Amino acid sequence: MNNLNDPPNWNIRPNSRADGGDGSRWNYALLVPMLGLAAFRWIWSRESQKEIDKEKEAYRQRTVAFQRDLEAKYHAVISENRRAVAQLSLELEKEQNRTTSYREALISQGRKLVEERKLLEQERAQIMQEKSQRQPLRSVYLNCLEEEENWQRRAQLMLKEVGEALAERQSIYCSLVLPRRARLELEKNLLMRASVDPLAVDLEMAAGLTDIFKHDTYCGDVWNTNRHKNGKLMWLYLKYWELVVELKKFERIEKVILEK
């Protein structure tokens, strides 16, 4: 180290080589590696900074590219979802219009049946008034009425069973957990009964059941536990069949009386 108390004898002296001292040789020997080390550190720091800046720029470019790709995918998903929603809205509107037309047709048919029933009752009253003095005809009517009421009770019981089966079928259709094959098996059994049961054949129920299975897709809300809140078309058909049973009862009575 430099001797601060003896300035003339500092380690680094220009003329120390002339004095024959070797202190300057040691200081120069240490100075050269230190300068080399400093230069190396400067160069290394500069190159390291370049590498860091290069990696930062590459990372920024990758981030921008990833963000653009992510935005493109996001916009593609949004567009696809919008198209799907528009398609579903269109299908829903078509189904609602179809259901409305069926409902209006059934209501119109029901009103027509009611009017026909009133006409039949009026005709029956007229016949009974004209032939009130004919006791045998009255006995025939009473016997026929009893038989047809028995037929009506059997038909109503059959309709009740079919209504329960339809409610169960619609409950399975609206369920998120019940298997589809259970609904298909139930529909198959109902169609088979409609084709072999004389009461069902007389009411021509097969076509109505097929129409229900194809078009009645209405379900109550998610938390609905009342099976009678599912379905719309099926209830209209059941009411229609009840009116048909009532109408056929009087038609059968009228036929028997007119044949006497």
Side-chain angles (χ1 to χ4, degrees):
M1 297 177 64
N2 296 327
N3 189 355
L4 299 179
N5 296 323
D6 188 11
N9 294 320
W10 283 359
N11 294 334
I12 303 175
R13 292 190 298 271
N15 57 353
S16 61
R17 189 180 298 271
D19 295 338
D22 23 334
S24 61
R25 289 196 300 270
W26 284 103
N27 282 307
Y28 281 116
L30 293 174
L31 180 61
V32 171
M34 291 178 65
L35 289 174
L37 179 61
F40 173 76
R41 290 184 62 184
W42 179 80
I43 295 172
W44 181 82
S45 298
R46 185 178 181 183
E47 293 299 323
S48 297
Q49 187 63 36
K50 288 182 179 179
E51 291 295 329
I52 290 173
D53 293 340
K54 182 179 179 181
E55 288 298 325
K56 284 184 178 179
E57 179 64 19
Y59 174 75
R60 186 188 68 80
Q61 292 178 359
R62 288 196 301 270
T63 302
V64 171
F66 176 75
Q67 185 176 0
R68 289 176 180 173
D69 183 63
L70 189 62
E71 289 178 353
K73 291 181 179 179
Y74 170 77
H75 289 301
V77 170
I78 291 297
S79 300
E80 184 66 24
N81 288 340
R82 287 176 179 173
R83 286 194 296 269
V85 170
Q87 183 66 25
L88 289 175
S89 299
L90 181 61
E91 293 295 331
L92 179 61
E93 184 178 359
K94 290 181 179 179
E95 194 64 30
Q96 288 176 345
N97 292 336
R98 188 183 297 111
T99 303
T100 300
S101 63
Y102 279 118
R103 181 170 63 251
E104 291 176 352
L106 286 173
I107 291 174
S108 177
Q109 185 67 21
R111 290 174 180 173
K112 182 179 179 181
L113 287 173
V114 171
E115 293 296 328
E116 291 179 356
R117 176 185 174 183
K118 290 180 180 179
L119 291 175
L120 287 173
E121 289 179 347
Q122 292 175 0
E123 292 176 1
R124 185 189 66 171
Q126 183 178 358
I127 292 173
M128 294 302 298
Q129 183 178 4
E130 292 175 355
K131 299 181 179 180
S132 58
Q133 303 300 324
R134 298 174 60 181
Q135 186 65 28
L137 184 59
R138 180 175 182 273
S139 299
V140 170
Y141 170 76
L142 293 177
N143 293 333
C144 183
L145 179 62
E146 182 178 359
E147 292 177 1
E148 295 307 318
E149 285 178 347
N150 290 332
W151 176 87
Q152 184 183 27
R153 282 192 292 270
R154 289 186 287 110
Q156 289 174 343
L157 179 61
M158 183 269 296
L159 287 178
K160 181 179 179 181
E161 294 173 355
V162 170
E164 292 175 354
L166 286 175
E168 182 180 357
R169 176 260 173 195
Q170 199 70 12
S171 178
I172 296 174
Y173 176 86
C174 297
S175 175
L176 299 177
V177 295
L178 295 177
R180 178 173 177 267
R181 62 177 179 274
R183 173 175 62 84
L184 296 178
E185 184 66 22
L186 194 56
E187 292 176 359
K188 177 182 177 182
N189 293 336
L190 283 171
L191 289 174
M192 184 175 295
R193 180 173 184 178
S195 62
V196 299
D197 191 333
L199 295 172
V201 172
D202 199 13
L203 296 178
E204 300 178 354
M205 294 179 63
L209 289 174
T210 303
D211 193 19
I212 291 172
F213 298 157
K214 185 176 180 181
H215 297 293
D216 198 346
T217 58
Y218 179 81
C219 298
D221 56 54
V222 178
W223 307 110
N224 176 44
T225 57
N226 186 355
R227 296 193 304 178
H228 292 82
K229 290 185 178 181
N230 293 326
K232 284 187 176 180
L233 190 60
M234 54 178 283
W235 303 115
L236 294 174
Y237 264 108
L238 287 171
K239 186 65 178 178
Y240 168 75
W241 287 328
E242 290 176 359
L243 293 174
V244 172
V245 168
E246 185 74 14
L247 178 63
K248 283 187 174 294
K249 181 184 76 171
F250 290 107
E251 287 178 346
R252 290 156 68 96
I253 292 174
E254 179 183 20
K255 181 179 179 180
V256 172
I257 291 177
L258 293 177
E259 289 176 353
K260 294 298 182 180

